């Protein structure tokens, strides 16, 4: 079973929930899919056993075969290739950051002058913390192919474990790549107009992907805004975490919620049970 | 004209709250919300939308079912797994059946590819298609066309604080970098037209492509951070990125008193990379209340904290 934890925006306590849930249930693994800023490791300090590079395919030109016809640059939808022809020589120039690895240029070059090469765009780290398995995807700085790293990280998940996915914030490609294929999605939000707005967006994503969802309200207070929205859309509210200095302080020191306040362990186990009943 | 970008590395650090403060404190500016994934600034500034435009970024493939002969070539070349083959078991059954009745029927059984014929339908998964267009090159029947993908909308609005340029990106759309670039161009034009002194940009979270798009060519990056381990971690990445683009950075630590030890660690780390921490804002119920009320903080209340923030803004601009 795969449960993803998402939020329209960062900083709502998504990682807190994901880490605490993973620590509360047995036979679990956590995948940090927030590849632009993976933070789960800060709370778990896992022992890393394996590091795997994530690569993307880029074309490599065989200068002997290439006749500088320029077709590849026409084919590339992302303007990642530019062919320069001078009188006696020339060059095919690749802008690797723009390349999406579609391999179209390689496939369609009339001279078969291109072959696939690989370029590192990120890293997968695999390890564990006590009995909790840990997988992290990390995108190299200034790279953009986050979905690729996310998909790769997810591919390392063990099928027989309960998988908790810490999704990146937002509603664009990376968030969708992380949430896709989940059995359930927990949406973490805060009871402010900002929080509601972001929750609406995140909920839309789960709707588009046809994934059932439930809400956890963090920094709970006057929750009527959020509760009204949940009632209207028939989304269960699993938990309200009050704003508590102790929680904020533990968070700031990188201590998981269930470690700082063990009474939450049971609560998260109950949430897990509820989720199992829903799906 | 000076372009100031407010950024945070991580969401929820108070970036939009701080942009709201700038919106109130500075005269003569254009505001831009570049957090196109989850724009929030409008919740503070209550814009009146004057112009709405579609944003088309990239392409999306579509298969003409009438022309498609179900050869599967498009699916084979698609590196994004965006073409789904939907088997129609009913037809497979009838095929088997007709073959067993008339074994001599030459239909479609001489090769794997042909066996597939008329037994399935090919469809484009809109969420996965990246618009690379390669499928349209390999389709022998020219059954695939690429259409412009409307990936969002952008708006030009008026607020009490000046013109606001903002947008909404559709679900699962990329190209947010391009949209950010578009918003910034618009903002710059508007600022020049109106002779504005500042362009204030509420940046996207993270350090990815939209952040880079919002960073190029700005005069100053203000990084708002929280005294948490992850906040510090993300802040250092933002600083690294700004250095990469050669843009001066100033750091504001929000809710600094939630963890004074971490705050001083951040100050140390930041200053050792030659960057100034120009302000610390304490945790305040008032700030939370102003956000809940949907008002920029400097307008919501007047107390010693508002004064402090005004002074801080003076240091930045
Ligand atoms: S399409 Fe092939 S032959 Fe033509 S310029 Fe590109 S690499 Fe060279
Ligand atoms: S692999 Fe695709 S995106 Fe990359 S250069 Fe070739 S055509 Fe362009």
């Amino acid at each position: 079973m795969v449960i993803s934890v998402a939020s329209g925006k960062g900083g709502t306590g998504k990682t807190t929930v994901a880490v605490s849930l993973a620590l509360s249930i047995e036979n679990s693994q956590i995948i940090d899919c927030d590849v632009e800023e993976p933070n789960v490791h800060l709370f778990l300090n896992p022992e890393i056993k394996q590091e795997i590079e994530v690569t993307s395919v880029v074309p490599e030109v065989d200068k002997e075969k290439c006749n500088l016809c320029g077709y590849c640059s026409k084919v590339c939808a992302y303007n990642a290739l530019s062919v320069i022809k001078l009188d006696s020589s020339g060059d095919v120039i690749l802008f690797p950051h723009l390349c999406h690895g579609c391999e179209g240029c390689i496939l369609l070059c009339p001279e078969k002058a291109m072959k696939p090469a690989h370029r590192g765009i990120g890293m997968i780290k695999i390890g564990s913390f006590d009995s909790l398995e840990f997988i992290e995807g990390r995108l190299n700085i200034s790279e953009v192919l986050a979905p690729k790293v996310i998909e790769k990280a997810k591919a390392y998940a063990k099928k027989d474990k309960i998988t908790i996915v810490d999704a990146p914030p937002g509603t664009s490609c990376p968030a969708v790549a992380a949430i896709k294929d989940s059995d359930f999605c927990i949406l973490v939000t805060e009871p402010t107009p900002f929080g509601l707005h972001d929750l609406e967006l995140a909920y839309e994503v789960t709707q588009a992907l046809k994934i059932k969802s439930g809400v956890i309200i963090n920094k709970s207070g006057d929750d009527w805004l959020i509760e009204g929205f949940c009632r209207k859309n028939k989304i269960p509210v699993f938990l309200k975490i009050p704003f508590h200095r102790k929680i904020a302080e533990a968070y700031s020191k990188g201590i998981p919620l269930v470690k700082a306040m063990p009474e939450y362990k049971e609560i998260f186990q109950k949430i897990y049970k509820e989720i199992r009943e829903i799906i | 004209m000076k372009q100031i970008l407010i950024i945070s590395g991580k969401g929820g650090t108070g970036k939009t709250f701080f942009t709201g403060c700038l919106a109130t404190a500075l005269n003569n500016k254009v505001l831009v919300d570049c957090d196109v994934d989850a724009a929030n600034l409008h919740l503070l500034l209550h814009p009146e939308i004057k112009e709405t435009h579609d944003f088309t970024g990239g392409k999306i493939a579509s298969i003409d079912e009438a022309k498609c002969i179900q050869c599967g070539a498009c699916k084979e070349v698609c590196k994004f797994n965006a073409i789904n083959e939907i088997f129609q078991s009913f037809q497979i059954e009838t095929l088997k059946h007709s073959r067993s009745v008339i074994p001599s029927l030459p239909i479609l059984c001489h090769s794997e590819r042909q066996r597939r014929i008329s037994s399935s339908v090919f469809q484009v998964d809109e969420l996965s298609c990246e618009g690379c267009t390669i499928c349209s090159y390999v389709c022998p029947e020219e059954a695939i066309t690429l259409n412009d993908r409307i990936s969002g909308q952008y708006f030009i609005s008026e607020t009490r604080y000046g013109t606001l340029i903002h947008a909404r990106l559709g679900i699962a759309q990329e190209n947010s970098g391009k949209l950010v670039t578009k918003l910034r161009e618009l903002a710059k034009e508007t600022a020049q037209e109106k002779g504005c002194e500042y362009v204030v940009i509420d940046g996207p979270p993270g350090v990815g492509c939209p952040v880079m798009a919002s960073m190029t060519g700005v005069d100053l990056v203000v990084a708002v951070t929280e005294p948490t381990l992850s906040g510090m971690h993300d802040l250092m990445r933002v600083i690294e990125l700004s250095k990469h683009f050669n843009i001066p950075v100033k750091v504001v630590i929000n809710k600094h008193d939630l963890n004074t030890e971490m705050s001083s660690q951040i100050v140390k780390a930041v200053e050792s990379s030659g960057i100034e921490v120009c302000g610390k804002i304490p945790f305040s119920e008032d700030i939370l209340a102003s956000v809940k009320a949907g008002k920029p903080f400097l307008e919501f209340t007047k107390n010693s904290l508002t004064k402090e923030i005004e002074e801080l803004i003076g240091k930045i601009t």
Side-chain angles (χ1 to χ4, degrees):
Chain A
M1 175 160 56
V2 182
I3 301 172
S4 52
V5 183
S7 67
K9 198 160 208 156
T12 55
K14 197 169 43 64
T15 303
T16 302
V17 167
V19 167
S20 295
L21 182 63
L23 285 171
S24 303
I25 52 185
E26 312 251 302
N27 189 28
S28 56
Q29 66 189 336
I30 188 161
I31 311 180
D32 195 343
C33 285
D34 191 356
V35 298
E36 278 177 36
E37 4 253 323
N39 279 157
V40 170
H41 69 105
L42 297 174
F43 292 92
L44 294 179
N45 264 320
E47 190 195 327
I48 301 298
K49 292 171 194 142
Q50 209 185 345
E51 291 194 14
I52 304 141
E53 197 182 25
V54 183
T55 58
S56 175
V57 172
V58 286
E60 196 180 85
V61 185
D62 180 342
K63 286 203 171 154
E64 301 285 296
K65 289 188 188 161
C66 171
N67 62 8
L68 302 170
C69 71
Y71 190 62
C72 52
S73 74
K74 259 192 232 133
V75 167
C76 179
Y78 311 107
N79 300 319
L81 286 167
S82 162
V83 179
I84 298 168
K85 200 169 177 177
L86 301 166
D87 286 342
S88 56
S89 65
D91 212 351
V92 178
I93 299 167
L94 171 76
F95 302 98
H97 285 91
L98 298 177
C99 173
H100 284 222
C102 74
E103 299 184 35
C105 51
I106 302 166
L107 183 76
L108 298 171
C109 167
E111 304 300 319
K112 302 241 168 309
M114 283 186 157
K115 62 171 197 229
H118 296 273
R119 189 173 70 87
I121 55 166
M123 238 359 158
I124 308 290
K125 289 186 185 172
I126 299 177
S128 64
F129 170 80
D130 290 344
S131 63
L132 174 63
E133 302 274 341
F134 168 87
I135 301 170
E136 172 193 282
R138 183 181 288 259
L139 190 68
N140 291 349
I141 203 148
S142 81
E143 288 293 343
V144 294
L145 296 177
K148 228 173 214 169
V149 179
I150 291 171
E151 270 151 26
K152 187 86 184 234
K154 281 166 76 177
Y156 282 101
K158 296 200 178 95
K159 290 275 174 293
D160 57 336
K161 291 202 174 278
I162 297 154
T163 306
I164 311 295
V165 172
D166 189 9
T171 56
S172 59
C173 291
V176 170
I179 300 168
K180 207 163 63 182
D181 312 318
S182 302
D183 299 297
F184 193 86
C185 184
I186 298 177
L187 303 170
V188 186
T189 186
E190 283 174 19
T192 65
F194 286 8
L196 175 64
H197 182 67
D198 302 335
L199 174 64
E200 285 169 354
L201 298 175
Y203 178 62
E204 256 180 64
V205 174
T206 61
Q207 288 289 95
L209 294 171
K210 301 194 175 62
I211 295 170
K212 288 195 178 137
S213 57
V215 164
I216 290 182
I217 305 177
N218 195 12
K219 300 185 191 156
S220 159
D222 332 321
D223 303 329
W224 52 273
L225 254 182
I226 305 290
E227 283 174 327
F229 173 78
C230 291
R231 220 174 300 124
K232 207 173 83 209
N233 294 287
K234 301 201 174 58
I235 317 167
V237 176
F238 290 135
L239 172 64
K240 299 177 188 176
I241 306 173
F243 179 79
H244 208 297
R245 230 191 144 91
K246 198 168 156 196
I247 297 177
E249 275 173 14
Y251 175 83
S252 74
K253 289 182 192 138
I255 301 168
L257 174 61
V258 289
K259 294 265 154 152
M261 298 172 102
E263 61 269 33
Y264 270 93
K265 194 161 177 172
E266 226 170 278
I267 298 175
F268 277 103
Q269 284 165 347
K270 227 182 94 219
I271 292 173
Y272 171 64
K273 246 202 217 135
E274 279 177 56
I275 290 174
R276 260 199 354 213
E277 271 159 33
I278 294 173
I279 56 178
Chain B
M1 185 186 52
K2 199 168 164 187
Q3 299 196 53
I4 305 176
L5 169 68
I6 321 300
I7 218 163
S8 66
K10 172 175 165 295
T13 57
K15 185 170 53 67
T16 300
F17 140 75
F18 194 71
T19 311
C21 290
L22 285 175
T24 334
L26 297 180
N27 292 320
N28 210 357
K29 77 254 142 195
V30 170
L31 297 143
V32 198
D33 194 343
C34 282
D35 188 355
V36 291
D37 259 8
N40 268 342
L41 194 56
H42 65 280
L43 297 172
L44 285 185
L45 306 185
H46 308 284
E48 196 182 307
I49 294 176
K50 298 284 182 207
E51 284 179 43
T52 304
H53 302 272
D54 277 339
F55 170 70
T56 50
K59 301 271 180 192
I60 184 155
S62 99
I63 301 175
D64 182 344
E65 253 180 62
K67 286 188 184 165
C68 172
I69 54 160
Q70 291 90 23
C71 71
C74 52
K75 184 177 163 73
E76 237 160 77
V77 297
C78 180
K79 292 290 169 223
F80 308 110
N81 296 321
I83 305 214
N84 292 329
E85 182 174 9
I86 299 161
F87 289 97
Q88 294 181 329
S89 52
F90 156 74
Q91 287 185 1
I92 294 176
E93 283 311 307
T94 44
L95 249 178
K96 271 191 204 147
H97 177 70
S98 44
R99 246 182 265 139
S100 64
V101 178
I102 323 170
S104 63
L105 253 189
I107 41 158
L108 326 170
C109 31
H110 53 267
S111 81
E112 166 64 16
R113 189 166 277 179
Q114 282 211 319
R115 193 186 54 74
R116 284 198 206 151
I117 293 181
S118 81
S119 65
S120 51
V121 167
F122 288 82
Q123 275 172 359
V124 176
D125 170 6
E126 297 192 5
L127 291 182
S128 303
C129 175
E130 293 201 13
C132 75
T133 73
I134 299 309
C135 52
S136 69
Y137 286 89
V138 300
C139 175
E141 299 298 313
E142 296 184 7
I144 301 183
T145 45
L146 278 120
N147 308 321
D148 275 342
R149 183 198 273 268
I150 296 180
S151 39
Q153 287 180 317
Y154 60 91
F155 317 98
I156 304 175
S157 299
E158 281 312 320
T159 75
R160 296 173 46 206
Y161 317 88
T163 308
L164 171 68
I165 315 270
H166 51 136
R168 209 199 137 169
L169 200 65
I171 285 168
Q173 303 298 338
E174 54 165 357
N175 277 315
S176 44
K178 266 195 203 152
L179 179 52
V180 164
T181 307
K182 176 90 212 169
L183 296 184
R184 290 201 42 211
E185 270 166 18
L186 253 178
K188 208 170 157 187
E189 276 167 28
T190 315
Q192 270 158 355
E193 249 167 55
K194 299 194 173 172
C196 290
E197 240 175 287
Y198 295 104
V199 174
V200 178
I201 308 162
D202 191 0
V207 286
C209 150
V211 176
M212 285 187 268
S214 56
M215 210 179 250
T216 43
V218 302
D219 301 288
L220 174 70
V221 167
V222 178
V224 180
T225 188
E226 273 182 343
T228 63
L229 207 54
S230 51
M232 167 154 153
H233 185 248
D234 299 334
L235 173 68
M236 296 324 278
R237 290 191 74 174
V238 169
I239 290 177
E240 215 180 296
L241 197 63
S242 317
K243 278 194 171 161
H244 180 83
F245 285 112
N246 252 324
I247 299 164
V249 192
K250 289 188 175 172
V251 172
V252 173
I253 305 178
N254 193 15
K255 306 178 202 165
H256 75 94
D257 52 345
L258 276 185
N259 187 340
T260 44
E261 205 181 302
M262 185 59 73
S263 279
S264 44
Q265 261 188 50
I266 291 179
V267 173
K268 239 194 250 152
V270 167
E271 283 177 352
S272 74
S273 56
I275 282 162
E276 182 195 356
V277 174
C278 60
K280 290 184 190 169
I281 300 171
F283 173 79
S284 150
E285 292 286 351
D286 285 346
I287 293 179
L288 214 65
S290 75
V291 170
K292 282 191 183 168
K295 271 193 181 164
F297 179 65
L298 294 186
E299 232 179 23
F300 178 74
T301 169
K302 287 266 169 283
N303 56 23
S304 59
L305 181 55
T306 44
K307 227 192 236 139
E308 248 179 76
I309 293 176
E310 274 161 356
E311 273 166 28
L312 166 59
I313 290 174
K315 272 203 255 171
I316 288 171
T317 50

